Structures are given as C-alpha cells and as structure tokens.
Amino acid sequence: MESFMKRQKLILIGNGMAGVRTLEELLKLDAAQYDITVFGAEPHPNYNRIMLSPVLSQEKSVEDIILNDLVWYASNGIRLLMGRKVTRIDRARRLVIADDGSETPYDRLILATGSSPFVIPVPGSTLPGVITFRDIADVDAMLAASRSYRHAVVIGGGLLGLEAANGLAKQGMDVTVVHLLDTLMERQLDVPAANLLKASLEARGLSFEMKAQTEAILGDERVTAVRFRDGREIPADLVVMAVGIRPNIELAKASGLHCERGIVVNDTMQTFDPRIWAVGECVQHRGECYGLVAPLFEQARVAANHLAHHGTAYYEGSVTSTKLKVTGIDLFSAGRFTEAEGDETLVVQDSAAGVYKKLVVRDNKIEGAVLYGDTLDGSWYFQLMREGTSIADFRKSVLFGQHDLGDAGHGDEKTRVMALPDGAEICGCNGVCKGEIVDAIVKKGLFTLDDVRAHTKASSSCGSCTGLVEALLASTVGDGYDVAPSKKPLCGCTTHSHDEIIHAIRDHELKSMTAVREFLEWKNPDGCHVCRPALNYYLLVRWPDDYADDKQSRFINERAHGNIQKDGTYSVVPRMFGGLCTPDELRAIADVAEKYNAKEVKVTGGQRIDLFGIRKEDLPAMWNDLSAAGMVSGHAYGKALRTCKTCVGSQWCRFGTQDSTALGVKLEELTWGSWMPHKFKMAVSGCPRNCAEATIKDFGVVCVDSGYELHVGGNGGIKVRVTDLLAKVETEAETLEYCGAFVQLYREEAHYLERTAPWIERVGLSYVKGRLLDSAEERRALYERFKHSQLYAQIDPWKQRAEGYDAAEFTPIRLAG
C-alpha cells in the first residue's frame, strides 16, 4: 500500500499508436511507477491506423486492427477514458480539463495528439458527403455512402488518396482521383515509377484528373459535383479530402507550450515544460516532423526511458524509408530519389513485367532509391544508404539485388514470399510458417523484426530467413514497417551498438563484463541472454591473455563441446586436418564408435566423420580415447574455425597445380581453435576446377600455375554467395599471412553472430582490401595478433575435460529419494 501511495500520476493525451507505444515501453521498464490515465477522443481502444485501408476495402474488420483491447488496459491498471476530449491543460495547477468539465491532476504528462487532416478551404467543403480519411468514423462514413451512392471523387493523389480510391472502387463506386500535380505520389516516386503506377491503376478501373485544381464543391443539401478552375464539372456523391495532414498542436499552443510547425521537443522528447513529453506526429524535433511509424516508435522508446528515470536514451532523428503497397502494387522509396547535379543514376526498367528500379548514387554511395513492382531489396538498399557503404565493388550487379539472398527470396512471381501458401516454412531453424508470421504481425500488432523474432522465433536462429521475414513485415504492415532503427542497440540492456561496445572495450581497456556494463551504464547489471555471449566474445578476442572465458555466457553446444541432437544426445566430430586421416585414427574412431554405442556414423560435407547418439556423461571418456589417439576437437559445435576442405591436389590429380592438401593442413593447423563471430569455413582447391568448392567458403584458396588466388566472404547453404577475390599471391607463406590477417580483421571488427558474407557487404570489399593490401605493415600486425591469440586458443577442450576439467557439466543430476 505504501508503494501504491507513492506512485506518481501520468496522463497520456491521445490514444493512438505513438502514445500507447510509449506506455508499452514504459511498462517494460517500470510497471509500478505511475498511475496512468489515458484520454482518447475516439470511442475505440488503441488501433492500427495504418490498417484503415483494408477495413475500407472490407478485407479486415475493426476488431482485426485493434492493437490493445480493453483487457490490456485493465490488466495493466490503466484508466482509459474513451470518447473524452481534452480541452485545456492548466500547467500551473498541473490539471487536465476535459470536454465534460472534469479535472484530472498529473505529475507527468505525455502529449500524443497526432495530426489532423487538411481540408481545402473551397466553397462547399462543409457540405454533407465531404469527408476526410483519418479514422474509423471516416471509414464508416465511406462505407455507408458506398451503399447508397455511385460517384466518388478523391482529392489527392498521394498514398492516402489512392488507398481511399481503391477501397471505394472495391465497394462498387465509380472513383475519380483528382490531383493538383502531373504525377502521383510525388513525395515517394519519380516520374517513370509514378507513370507505371497510374497506368496500372487505370487498368483496374480508377479514373484520374491530373493537374486539376478544385475550385468548388457543388450541392445544396449534399455534395452533387466537383468543379475545377477550368470550369469543368464531374459528378460526385461523395468527396474524400486526402491532401495531407498537419500536426495537431492547438491544445499545446493554447497551453503555452512552445510550438512551431509541431510541438518543439529536445532529444529526450521533453517539451519546454519539463513535466510534459510529446511523441508522434504532433512533434517537431530538430526542425523535422515525422509521419511514418518507425520514427514515432523510436521517439516512444526514448520518452519511456526518461519517464522511467533511466535517462540513458536520446532521439537524434530518423533516416526514413517508405515501403508500402498501393492496391496490391509494391512500392519503395528512400532518401533523395531525384538526382541533382553531380549525381549518377542506375536504372533498370521492364514495363511488361511491371518492374522499375532506380538508385541515385554519388561517389559510389547510394543517396536514394525508388522501386516499383519488385521491392524485396528495398531494405538492403536502405541499409547501404544509411551506413554509407561503398557500392564500387558490386556496382554492376547492385540493381539485380542482394546477391547473398537465396532463390527463395528472388524467384519469379510465383515464388514471391507473399504468394507462398500459409503453410510454407519460412524459418527452417524453428519450423515457423508464413501463416504463423503474418498472423502474429496482424493480431499482435508487430512492427519490427525484433518483435517478430520475440513472438514467433522466426529469424532468431541462423538469420538466413531474415530477408523473407522482413518482406512479410513490409507487405503486411506497409509503411508501418520499421526497417531498422537509426542506431540499433546490442540488446535491451543498453542503448549502445555493437561498434560502440567494441570501440569502448578497445579504447578504454575494459577487460571484464562487469567493467563494460558499468562503463557503458548497462540497464541490467547482469546482462541478458543476448548481450552476455556477445560481450564474452568481444572481450576474449580483444584481450586473449587477460580475459578468462565465461563458459556460462556460451550456448549449450559450446559449453558441452558437442552438438546437442533432438533426442538429447550429442554428436562428436574429431578434427581431421585438411580432411586427412591415418589408418590408426580411423581405427580409433571405429573403436570409440563401438565402445560408446554411437547410433550412427556419417561422413560430413566438410570431410570429417560425425559420431551420433553419444550420451553427455560419456563425452569426457570418449574424448580421452580420441585424445590418446592424437585427435583433437573439431569444433563442429562452435562459432569457430570448422574445417578446411581440400581436394587431392598435385600429388595425385593430373589437373592439380599445387599441393592443395598440404596447404589445407597448414591453414587448418594455423587457425584451429580460434573463436569467431560465427562459424568459419575454409577450403583449398588444387586448380580452377575447384573441386573443394573454395569459392563458397569464408576463406578459400584456388591454386593456379602461378600461385594462389585468395577468395573471401563466400557462403553455402540457404544463402548462397560466391566469394570475392581478395588477392593473388605467389607463395604458401603469403597465403598463410593473408589468411591469418583476414581472420583477425574479421574477428576484431565483425559483429557477434555476423558471418563473413554480410560483414563484407556491410563494410565493403574495398575496405577489407585497404586494410590487408595497402599496408603490408598493418597486414603483418593483424597476422601477429592472430598468432598471439592462438597461443591461448589452441588448447584442446576435449583433452582438458577428459582430464577432469568442468566435470560437473557432464555429471547427470540425480534425484534425491
């Protein structure tokens, strides 16, 4: 009771998406700090305004787009006052006055009053039958009109107007779109894309009046026609104004808060009154007003952080992209898509297929993008633009899409992700199907990739389906899709990104997880399941001789040094350097397989032997036998060097140019035991016929008559990516040096759980070449740091455990009694 009495009073004015999202974030941080009251002018709980179009087309019901039902408010102790409009804020007495005359006190206040639709002030604009398209009441009015009338006129050729026109057409009305300019959606599309869109919409039955200025809306008791400035008139039983929105700041202005175009806030989302925060479309931050959902949700996170008195988050503005769907047509735009002097444009257009792609490029960096018809790579282009990645290395192919995305995401129309049946498996790791993901997005109101991961597990394991999940998000929620926050923190425990943490560990010589968490002001002093493995890895790589590995911060496979199988047993893969094995080693493997009752023995794709069905408690004894035969752990379970696949090379093959097997053994002897951000595979092919498949490995060598081609960043499996050529060298010694230097650069700079393929695409091959090729001194320094780290890494974990280390991990728990 005492803590209840100490609760402060928090009032939210505005029951929309930004405001309620702030409450959701606040409840995650501290659910007991406030007594919360919400004023909402509409007679509905919080709903997804972006989904009004499907309600208008009657593909969904109002119930389908409710984000937080009344049970949610009640279960969180929130007092919701629906249909109650706030008319005044008495800041001196800290009171909110509603239209029913009630006065409600507050200690903290959130303004989330959103925006208001703009109505063109022409004669007849107040006639019955003239409405806007902003809320559920507007949708109800349009549906009612469609049942009694025939002719609809939509004024405004932007996204909202076209969605309204499409919905009304689906209700059987004859719809004419009136637009002041000569192209549709001029804020999102360039002229060619807009023309394609208009032609497609005309084919679907919509009519257009372009460069038409409305002079008056005609009618006596109800609208009957629209007259243009040139004197022409068209019949209209319903007129929908969709010509833009304005921040709703009247209440804030009347309360004496500083407003310009919107309510002016600082980087903590605080207004000029320190007790009042503001979020959403009503806000002006650093001169910008935002209308897309992603920035509003970023603002919500920051405001909640300060309302919870954490004081660690700051909003620095958002780089936005728009990925949306107009009447079933996919569109994407981001950045500055109209070229200026000094820009270059890359364009591909297939009018018959309905595909148009345009990138605006300056100094080999993407400044803007417009995609029509095929938007699957929109998030990739946006990432390249946001991170300033040079496209010089893949400029010729950039318009054909992200080349590490497999065919599942790039097939023809029939294989497009949205055309897949609901039962189609999207996430193979966790067995999640398309229908489950779409259902969760709609019913749980998910807007971000992290939300989908948290609710469905899709994309939360290997991440290879991330592109498909993002495509489902974008297609399902349209422009509400949060492509990525402007700066993605490592996890919910911190606001710092991977790079900021890596630099802090290096620059401030932080040598323990506690030191990192204290220095960077972690919210959770113990960290979480996401940040602990990452911090453990970053510290291990940076300080190999000082930092002690924390095995409790590793996943189960790395703790047990074996791959756990679906029946709870483990698989054991001894290392076979370069794929070679002696008769004695083969006998030892056969003996342990028989002795420990391996249920299956299988040759792997990496030229090793896998023993399945081993009980956990038998692992140390089995490893003792293998160790006695001279074999060490194959690290087949770890984010570490896995294998170095080789062909037989010049010793046996008549096409071989070099001794690829011997080189593969040397490379594996150099790198085994090293921990990586993710699994790491190598291969050496003895000739360009490439039998060892070196050009789909993280580091691959293709031997040629004059030396060795060194390839990096390849990937097999679902996301097939062919390597990039790093360099050509003449000797094995050079090959070893380049390999060690490349591995160390990857280890030091890639993000935890990031494979070499996405890492190279993120930083650019030119950057990697610059670090390894331009300076022999720096390359040798990286190589030396790698060899130094191996002094601490090349200690066989199996032998250690066979000798009794960490015995408790392998001792079965016995029930008492």
Side-chain angles (χ1 to χ4, degrees):
M1 178 62 72
E2 185 180 357
S3 61
F4 176 79
M5 295 297 291
K6 290 181 179 177
R7 283 185 169 186
Q8 291 194 312
K9 295 179 174 59
L10 174 66
I11 290 180
L12 167 63
I13 301 177
N15 192 30
M17 296 170 69
V20 176
R21 185 62 170 236
T22 307
L23 296 185
E24 291 176 334
E25 296 288 343
L26 177 60
L27 292 172
K28 289 181 198 172
L29 298 174
D30 190 344
Q33 192 167 151
Y34 293 101
D35 284 330
I36 302 174
T37 300
V38 178
F39 284 85
E42 292 186 67
H44 305 282
N46 174 239
Y47 64 87
N48 185 350
R49 197 179 300 279
I50 297 166
M51 302 299 278
L52 285 175
S53 298
V55 176
L56 176 60
S57 60
Q58 296 196 308
E59 295 166 359
K60 296 185 183 299
S61 66
V62 172
E63 289 71 27
D64 290 333
I65 66 170
I66 296 295
L67 293 173
N68 301 88
D69 59 19
L70 296 177
V71 174
W72 179 84
Y73 291 90
S75 61
N76 286 289
I78 297 172
R79 181 180 174 223
L80 173 62
L81 302 174
M82 294 189 298
R84 194 84 64 87
K85 185 175 181 180
V86 174
T87 57
R88 193 162 64 88
I89 302 169
D90 186 336
R91 290 168 52 205
R93 294 193 297 153
R94 298 208 297 270
L95 292 174
V96 163
I97 297 94
D99 54 1
D100 62 355
S102 62
E103 295 183 345
T104 308
Y106 69 85
D107 298 300
R108 297 285 185 274
L109 180 64
I110 306 170
L111 289 175
T113 48
S115 59
S116 302
F118 178 65
V119 176
I120 305 173
V122 294
S125 61
T126 59
L127 278 171
V130 180
I131 61 174
T132 57
F133 183 25
R134 184 62 184 164
D135 53 31
I136 289 174
D138 293 332
V139 173
D140 289 340
M142 282 191 269
L143 289 173
S146 70
R147 290 190 284 270
S148 305
Y149 300 99
R150 180 181 175 187
H151 299 289
V153 172
V154 176
I155 301 177
L159 170 64
L160 206 60
L162 296 180
E163 290 287 9
N166 177 59
L168 291 169
K170 285 192 171 181
Q171 300 310 310
M173 299 192 79
D174 292 334
V175 183
T176 301
V177 177
V178 177
H179 197 48
L180 187 62
L181 303 178
D182 56 353
T183 61
L184 300 172
M185 295 184 64
E186 67 280 354
R187 296 181 64 183
Q188 288 89 18
L189 302 179
D190 64 352
V191 173
N195 289 340
L196 283 170
L197 175 63
K198 179 169 175 284
S200 177
L201 295 176
E202 286 173 333
R204 298 173 189 217
L206 295 183
S207 300
F208 290 89
E209 292 286 349
M210 306 300 290
K211 301 176 71 173
Q213 185 169 358
T214 303
E215 183 179 75
I217 298 172
L218 308 178
D220 295 323
E221 296 182 356
R222 182 183 175 87
V223 58
T224 57
V226 171
R227 186 170 69 213
F228 303 124
R229 175 157 289 186
D230 61 9
R232 290 182 302 118
E233 295 181 4
I234 58 174
D237 304 310
L238 174 72
V239 173
V240 179
M241 292 269 198
V243 290
I245 57 175
R246 289 179 174 175
N248 194 346
I249 60 174
E250 281 68 27
L251 178 64
K253 284 180 71 175
S255 305
L257 292 174
H258 179 53
C259 298
E260 293 175 0
R261 282 189 300 138
I263 304 169
V264 177
V265 296
N266 60 18
D267 287 356
T268 68
M269 306 312 298
Q270 213 167 20
T271 68
F272 276 57
D273 184 331
R275 289 184 177 273
I276 302 179
W277 280 257
V279 294
E281 293 176 339
C282 61
V283 158
Q284 179 180 326
H285 172 265
R286 297 190 186 185
E288 294 288 334
C289 298
Y290 296 94
L292 298 176
V293 170
L296 310 190
F297 284 181
E298 284 191 67
Q299 295 171 4
R301 280 191 286 271
V302 172
N305 181 280
H306 289 272
L307 284 164
H309 301 297
H310 287 203
T312 57
Y314 296 93
Y315 181 65
E316 299 171 349
S318 299
V319 180
T320 60
S321 68
T322 307
K323 191 165 187 174
L324 39 89
K325 185 186 289 287
V326 178
T327 67
I329 303 167
D330 291 318
L331 306 170
F332 174 88
S333 75
R336 183 169 53 79
F337 58 82
T338 301
E339 59 270 30
E341 186 176 350
D343 290 337
E344 302 170 89
T345 58
L346 307 179
V347 178
V348 62
Q349 181 168 2
D350 184 345
S351 299
V355 173
Y356 172 79
K357 297 182 178 182
K358 172 184 170 183
L359 300 179
V360 175
V361 177
R362 180 183 284 256
D363 298 331
N364 280 319
K365 294 181 180 177
I366 295 177
E367 297 287 330
V370 178
L371 309 178
Y372 175 95
D374 180 0
T375 61
L376 199 57
D377 288 299
S379 55
W380 180 49
Y381 295 137
F382 182 62
Q383 182 182 358
L384 295 174
M385 184 183 78
R386 187 164 51 91
E387 297 184 351
T389 302
S390 171
I391 63 168
D393 300 317
F394 50 96
R395 183 186 172 104
K396 292 180 180 177
S397 61
V398 66
L399 280 172
F400 298 102
Q402 190 176 15
H403 52 269
D404 76 334
L405 190 61
D407 287 340
H410 270 285
D412 60 20
E413 193 69 25
K414 292 180 181 178
T415 60
R416 282 182 179 284
V417 62
M418 285 308 290
L420 291 171
D422 285 348
E425 187 174 81
I426 299 296
C427 176
C429 299
N430 296 294
V432 186
C433 298
K434 175 198 163 190
E436 294 175 61
I437 297 170
V438 173
D439 205 40
I441 293 170
V442 173
K443 292 185 176 176
K444 298 181 185 298
L446 310 183
F447 291 93
T448 69
L449 181 62
D450 286 341
D451 287 343
V452 175
R453 285 172 172 163
H455 284 84
T456 70
K457 304 294 184 191
S459 171
S460 62
S461 295
C462 78
S464 62
C465 62
T466 297
L468 299 177
V469 176
E470 287 179 330
L472 288 173
L473 256 174
S475 298
T476 305
V477 303
D479 67 346
Y481 165 48
D482 183 355
V483 177
S486 55
K487 187 185 75 172
K488 188 174 178 61
L490 168 60
C491 67
C493 298
T494 179
T495 59
H496 295 286
S497 66
H498 284 265
D499 287 331
E500 289 171 337
I501 294 165
I502 292 170
H503 294 160
I505 290 172
R506 179 195 63 196
D507 298 342
H508 299 280
E509 299 191 1
L510 307 176
K511 298 187 177 180
S512 71
M513 283 200 269
T514 301
V516 175
R517 290 194 288 257
E518 287 181 355
F519 182 80
L520 295 176
E521 299 180 332
W522 234 247
K523 300 172 193 171
N524 180 355
D526 296 323
C528 68
H529 69 288
V530 176
C531 63
R532 288 182 65 89
L535 291 185
N536 186 52
Y537 169 75
Y538 291 143
L539 288 162
L540 199 62
V541 167
R542 179 54 59 183
W543 312 115
D545 39 2
D546 290 324
Y547 178 71
D549 184 20
D550 179 14
K551 75 182 186 69
Q552 293 304 324
S553 295
R554 290 187 174 275
F555 297 112
I556 176 60
N557 284 353
E558 292 185 350
R559 289 205 307 273
H561 291 273
N563 272 325
I564 191 168
Q565 305 298 309
K566 61 192 296 183
D567 64 353
T569 63
Y570 285 78
S571 75
V572 172
V573 183
R575 187 168 294 281
M576 297 167 69
F577 290 89
L580 291 178
C581 186
T582 67
D584 285 342
E585 288 171 340
L586 271 180
R587 287 191 194 96
I589 291 173
D591 288 344
V592 298
E594 193 170 72
K595 181 177 179 180
Y596 297 98
N597 193 29
K599 295 175 181 173
E600 188 169 278
V601 179
K602 185 180 183 304
V603 176
T604 73
Q607 299 180 332
R608 303 195 287 189
I609 295 176
D610 201 343
L611 311 174
F612 288 93
I614 311 300
R615 297 188 307 167
K616 188 175 183 182
E617 56 266 36
D618 289 338
L619 290 174
M622 187 179 193
W623 293 338
N624 184 60
D625 292 352
L626 290 170
S627 180
M631 306 190 80
V632 300
S633 168
H635 289 85
Y637 46 81
K639 290 158 185 54
L641 184 276
R642 296 286 181 89
T643 66
C644 187
K645 188 175 181 179
T646 64
C647 66
V648 296
S650 59
Q651 185 173 1
W652 300 101
C653 177
R654 56 197 174 96
F655 298 113
T657 63
Q658 310 284 351
D659 189 351
S660 53
T661 308
L663 178 57
V665 170
K666 292 174 184 173
L667 285 170
E668 192 163 351
E669 287 176 341
L670 170 70
T671 53
W672 79 272
S674 56
W675 295 108
M676 307 277 192
H678 211 300
K679 61 184 176 183
F680 190 95
K681 298 180 179 179
M682 301 193 297
V684 184
S685 289
C687 77
R689 289 170 179 78
N690 196 15
C691 293
E693 302 164 331
T695 51
I696 57 168
K697 303 300 183 186
D698 296 283
F699 184 86
V701 181
V702 176
C703 302
V704 293
D705 287 325
S706 56
Y708 307 87
E709 291 180 354
L710 310 182
H711 297 257
V712 294
N715 202 26
I718 296 174
K719 288 184 175 183
V720 179
R721 183 187 193 274
V722 176
T723 49
D724 296 310
L725 178 63
L726 175 67
K728 183 180 175 185
V729 298
E730 296 180 355
T731 66
E732 284 191 350
E734 289 176 291
T735 302
L736 292 169
E737 180 178 305
Y738 272 84
C739 176
F742 174 76
V743 167
Q744 187 64 10
L745 185 64
Y746 169 59
R747 279 162 39 92
E748 291 182 356
E749 298 194 359
H751 300 167
Y752 184 65
L753 299 183
E754 184 176 39
R755 290 205 64 177
T756 57
W759 171 61
I760 285 180
E761 293 200 344
R762 179 168 62 83
V763 302
L765 179 65
S766 295
Y767 170 77
V768 176
K769 283 185 171 180
R771 296 291 302 276
L772 301 184
L773 274 62
D774 292 352
S775 169
E777 185 178 352
E778 182 172 10
R779 182 176 66 249
R780 281 194 288 272
L782 283 163
Y783 184 42
E784 291 302 321
R785 288 207 294 277
F786 177 68
K787 288 195 295 184
H788 177 72
S789 72
Q790 289 296 83
L791 296 175
Y792 304 91
Q794 290 190 333
I795 300 170
D796 182 26
W798 287 0
K799 188 171 190 294
Q800 278 187 316
R801 281 146 186 83
E803 293 170 347
Y805 178 78
D806 196 23
E809 177 72 39
F810 303 93
T811 303
I813 298 174
R814 308 218 178 263
L815 297 177

